[in-house]
Amino acid sequence: NAVLTDDFGRKHNYLRISLIEKCNLRCTYCMPADGIVLSPKASLMTADEIHAIAQTFVNNGVDKIRLTGGEPLLRKDFPEIIAKLASLKTEISITTNGILINKHIDVLKQFNVKKINLSLDTLVASKFHSITLRNQFQSVIDNLHLLLNNDFKIKVNVVLIKGFNEDEIIDFIKLTQFLPISIRFIEFMPFAGNEWDKSKMVSQKEILDQVQ
């Protein structure tokens, strides 16, 4: 469909929808420690509006929809949103920090949401607290296993930060020897208030040098 073909002739079939700005973690690379000013609730799309805009995209060739946030599972009407989107007969996936998975796993299974991108930047509980400012490490690990035990397809997103977790690159890769997951190393990106510094970035070459 011409509507979703860009100036380079590429057809776009993949839609990402951010459901909410709120998050139940305070990852230092993502959000200032004192939080952000949230949009008023009236500014957020309702479940019906999300369905309507997704329907328009699907009508124009989109066959994959990813729900993100913030933390998308914080939406109180998340089950309603999933139910509406499931009626579009398109692939639905989510990106989540995993904390609330156990509360929503039945809904995910019911509406065949099988692909989950799980954000996890460290395999060390104390480091998890230092980067997220929350004590939820065990919840995330438990929910990762819960997803795997229920045959979800998992990609783990790891934001690499020099001096924080580049010494865990091999540990993350070794996980794939024992668990049916994919590991993806994500670039540390500059945002207002996240103390970004080029010296904290881990390059592709550094990753590959370690892997070799």
Side-chain angles (χ1 to χ4, degrees), residues 2-211:
V3 175
L4 294 180
T5 300
D6 68 19
D7 291 345
F8 298 96
R10 298 173 300 190
K11 290 184 168 59
H12 295 272
N13 67 326
Y14 175 33
L15 174 67
R16 296 168 65 100
I17 303 176
S18 174
L19 297 184
I20 193 167
E21 295 166 305
K22 282 184 189 169
C23 188
N24 42 6
L25 295 179
R26 281 290 176 274
C27 297
T28 55
Y29 58 77
C30 180
M31 194 181 286
D34 50 0
I36 57 170
V37 178
L38 296 171
S39 301
K41 193 171 177 200
S43 297
L44 298 182
M45 288 190 291
T46 65
D48 284 331
E49 288 169 335
I50 291 165
H51 174 259
I53 201 165
Q55 175 79 72
T56 301
F57 274 91
V58 169
N59 290 349
N60 286 283
V62 159
D63 57 16
K64 291 191 289 189
I65 296 174
R66 174 171 298 280
L67 302 179
T68 70
E71 171 48 50
L73 298 182
L74 282 173
R75 277 282 296 240
K76 293 195 167 46
D77 56 352
F78 182 79
E80 181 188 349
I81 291 169
I82 286 289
K84 288 180 184 296
L85 293 179
S87 71
L88 299 177
K89 305 290 186 264
T90 185
E91 180 185 288
I92 305 168
S93 55
I94 66 168
T95 296
T96 175
N97 59 35
I99 293 170
L100 297 173
I101 282 289
N102 53 306
K103 292 190 168 71
H104 290 91
I105 193 159
D106 290 340
V107 168
L108 297 174
K109 287 163 72 172
Q110 179 185 350
F111 293 109
N112 203 33
V113 180
K114 297 299 286 182
K115 293 184 177 178
I116 311 287
N117 283 9
L118 187 76
S119 301
L120 178 64
D121 303 317
T122 177
L123 299 170
V124 181
S126 58
K127 284 165 72 170
F128 183 92
H129 181 269
S130 73
I131 198 81
T132 66
L133 309 183
R134 298 290 184 271
N135 287 314
Q136 294 284 3
F137 179 73
Q138 199 56 50
S139 299
V140 177
I141 297 299
D142 290 346
N143 280 333
L144 170 60
H145 287 291
L146 178 64
L147 287 168
L148 291 173
N149 291 338
N150 283 276
D151 298 321
F152 284 82
K153 292 185 172 66
I154 309 298
K155 290 179 180 173
V156 176
N157 288 344
V158 185
V159 175
L160 285 179
I161 302 175
K162 183 79 59 76
F164 173 69
N165 61 354
E166 86 272 26
D167 59 339
E168 296 188 66
I169 288 170
I170 302 302
D171 292 335
F172 271 108
I173 293 172
K174 280 183 174 174
L175 274 187
T176 67
Q177 186 177 352
F178 306 105
L179 300 173
I181 60 178
S182 299
I183 302 293
R184 305 196 306 176
F185 296 114
I186 307 289
E187 184 178 327
F188 176 37
M189 302 287 284
F191 290 104
N194 77 342
E195 296 179 13
W196 182 87
D197 186 307
K198 191 172 182 183
S199 67
K200 294 181 182 176
M201 292 183 64
V202 181
S203 71
Q204 181 180 0
K205 181 180 185 303
E206 288 172 278
I207 296 169
L208 292 175
D209 285 349
Q210 270 205 53
V211 171

